[in-house]
mmCIF file of all heavy atoms in Angstrom:
data_model
loop_
_atom_site.group_PDB
_atom_site.id
_atom_site.type_symbol
_atom_site.label_atom_id
_atom_site.label_comp_id
_atom_site.label_asym_id
_atom_site.label_seq_id
_atom_site.Cartn_x
_atom_site.Cartn_y
_atom_site.Cartn_z
ATOM 1 N N MET B 1 33.296 50.895 58.256
ATOM 2 C CA MET B 1 33.864 52.080 58.893
ATOM 3 C C MET B 1 33.041 52.482 60.102
ATOM 4 O O MET B 1 33.563 53.003 61.063
ATOM 5 C CB MET B 1 33.926 53.246 57.903
ATOM 6 C CG MET B 1 35.078 53.157 56.950
ATOM 7 S SD MET B 1 36.630 53.215 57.848
ATOM 8 C CE MET B 1 36.947 54.953 57.885
ATOM 9 N N VAL B 51 25.936 83.110 60.189
ATOM 10 C CA VAL B 51 25.287 82.105 61.038
ATOM 11 C C VAL B 51 24.979 82.742 62.384
ATOM 12 O O VAL B 51 25.692 83.635 62.833
ATOM 13 C CB VAL B 51 26.222 80.881 61.199
ATOM 14 C CG1 VAL B 51 27.529 81.272 61.876
ATOM 15 C CG2 VAL B 51 25.558 79.776 61.994
ATOM 16 N N ASP B 114 32.463 97.904 75.908
ATOM 17 C CA ASP B 114 32.983 97.619 77.248
ATOM 18 C C ASP B 114 32.080 96.604 77.940
ATOM 19 O O ASP B 114 32.542 95.737 78.689
ATOM 20 C CB ASP B 114 33.061 98.904 78.075
ATOM 21 C CG ASP B 114 34.271 99.744 77.703
ATOM 22 O OD1 ASP B 114 35.176 99.208 77.033
ATOM 23 O OD2 ASP B 114 34.303 100.938 78.071
ATOM 24 N N CYS B 150 39.993 87.853 84.620
ATOM 25 C CA CYS B 150 40.481 86.662 83.926
ATOM 26 C C CYS B 150 41.713 86.147 84.637
ATOM 27 O O CYS B 150 42.837 86.593 84.380
ATOM 28 C CB CYS B 150 40.790 86.978 82.463
ATOM 29 S SG CYS B 150 39.333 87.513 81.560
ATOM 30 N N GLU B 164 39.266 103.820 73.187
ATOM 31 C CA GLU B 164 39.128 105.086 73.899
ATOM 32 C C GLU B 164 39.945 105.034 75.180
ATOM 33 O O GLU B 164 39.868 104.063 75.944
ATOM 34 C CB GLU B 164 37.659 105.323 74.210
ATOM 35 C CG GLU B 164 37.362 106.708 74.748
ATOM 36 C CD GLU B 164 35.963 106.772 75.340
ATOM 37 O OE1 GLU B 164 35.101 105.990 74.908
ATOM 38 O OE2 GLU B 164 35.757 107.585 76.256
ATOM 39 N N SER B 183 51.738 86.639 76.587
ATOM 40 C CA SER B 183 51.762 87.601 75.488
ATOM 41 C C SER B 183 50.916 88.810 75.841
ATOM 42 O O SER B 183 49.750 88.673 76.217
ATOM 43 C CB SER B 183 51.232 86.916 74.228
ATOM 44 O OG SER B 183 50.974 87.858 73.227
ATOM 45 N N ALA B 216 53.505 105.481 74.658
ATOM 46 C CA ALA B 216 53.685 106.228 75.901
ATOM 47 C C ALA B 216 54.773 105.650 76.787
ATOM 48 O O ALA B 216 55.176 106.268 77.760
ATOM 49 C CB ALA B 216 52.361 106.261 76.675
ATOM 50 N N TYR B 249 71.591 105.388 77.110
ATOM 51 C CA TYR B 249 71.707 104.721 75.816
ATOM 52 C C TYR B 249 72.516 103.436 75.935
ATOM 53 O O TYR B 249 72.152 102.388 75.404
ATOM 54 C CB TYR B 249 72.343 105.713 74.843
ATOM 55 C CG TYR B 249 72.685 105.145 73.504
ATOM 56 C CD1 TYR B 249 71.711 105.027 72.516
ATOM 57 C CD2 TYR B 249 73.975 104.728 73.219
ATOM 58 C CE1 TYR B 249 72.026 104.498 71.286
ATOM 59 C CE2 TYR B 249 74.292 104.197 71.988
ATOM 60 C CZ TYR B 249 73.310 104.088 71.022
ATOM 61 O OH TYR B 249 73.621 103.564 69.808
ATOM 62 N N ASP B 323 64.571 102.458 46.484
ATOM 63 C CA ASP B 323 64.988 101.312 45.669
ATOM 64 C C ASP B 323 66.368 100.843 46.092
ATOM 65 O O ASP B 323 66.650 99.636 46.111
ATOM 66 C CB ASP B 323 65.001 101.694 44.179
ATOM 67 C CG ASP B 323 63.600 101.794 43.599
ATOM 68 O OD1 ASP B 323 62.687 101.110 44.118
ATOM 69 O OD2 ASP B 323 63.406 102.555 42.632
ATOM 70 N N MET B 379 54.939 101.047 38.094
ATOM 71 C CA MET B 379 55.280 99.641 37.870
ATOM 72 C C MET B 379 55.240 99.403 36.373
ATOM 73 O O MET B 379 54.453 100.031 35.660
ATOM 74 C CB MET B 379 54.275 98.747 38.593
ATOM 75 C CG MET B 379 54.521 97.255 38.497
ATOM 76 S SD MET B 379 56.141 96.685 39.027
ATOM 77 C CE MET B 379 56.201 97.202 40.727
ATOM 78 N N ALA B 383 58.862 94.566 34.503
ATOM 79 C CA ALA B 383 59.256 94.258 35.885
ATOM 80 C C ALA B 383 58.389 93.138 36.451
ATOM 81 O O ALA B 383 58.894 92.196 37.061
ATOM 82 C CB ALA B 383 59.133 95.505 36.746
ATOM 83 N N THR B 386 59.354 89.798 35.115
ATOM 84 C CA THR B 386 60.595 89.340 35.739
ATOM 85 C C THR B 386 60.342 88.849 37.164
ATOM 86 O O THR B 386 60.847 87.805 37.579
ATOM 87 C CB THR B 386 61.613 90.485 35.765
ATOM 88 O OG1 THR B 386 61.805 90.949 34.444
ATOM 89 C CG2 THR B 386 62.939 90.021 36.343
ATOM 90 N N LYS B 406 47.166 104.118 36.662
ATOM 91 C CA LYS B 406 48.396 104.549 35.974
ATOM 92 C C LYS B 406 48.947 103.419 35.108
ATOM 93 O O LYS B 406 49.118 102.303 35.568
ATOM 94 C CB LYS B 406 49.426 104.940 37.025
ATOM 95 C CG LYS B 406 50.706 105.426 36.418
ATOM 96 C CD LYS B 406 51.607 106.062 37.467
ATOM 97 C CE LYS B 406 52.919 106.457 36.806
ATOM 98 N NZ LYS B 406 53.710 107.344 37.603
ATOM 99 N N ALA B 523 16.212 88.322 44.887
ATOM 100 C CA ALA B 523 15.024 87.487 44.641
ATOM 101 C C ALA B 523 15.416 86.072 44.228
ATOM 102 O O ALA B 523 14.792 85.091 44.629
ATOM 103 C CB ALA B 523 14.166 88.139 43.561
ATOM 104 N N GLU B 535 24.281 106.111 52.019
ATOM 105 C CA GLU B 535 24.627 107.108 53.026
ATOM 106 C C GLU B 535 24.288 108.514 52.612
ATOM 107 O O GLU B 535 24.782 109.462 53.180
ATOM 108 C CB GLU B 535 26.120 107.089 53.293
ATOM 109 C CG GLU B 535 26.686 105.732 53.573
ATOM 110 C CD GLU B 535 28.174 105.771 53.366
ATOM 111 O OE1 GLU B 535 28.887 106.128 54.319
ATOM 112 O OE2 GLU B 535 28.631 105.487 52.241
#
Side-chain angles (χ1 to χ4, degrees):
Chain B
M1 281 298 270
V51 62
D114 282 345
C150 298
E164 189 193 333
S183 168
Y249 173 82
D323 286 333
M379 182 55 60
T386 304
K406 181 169 177 166
E535 310 161 86

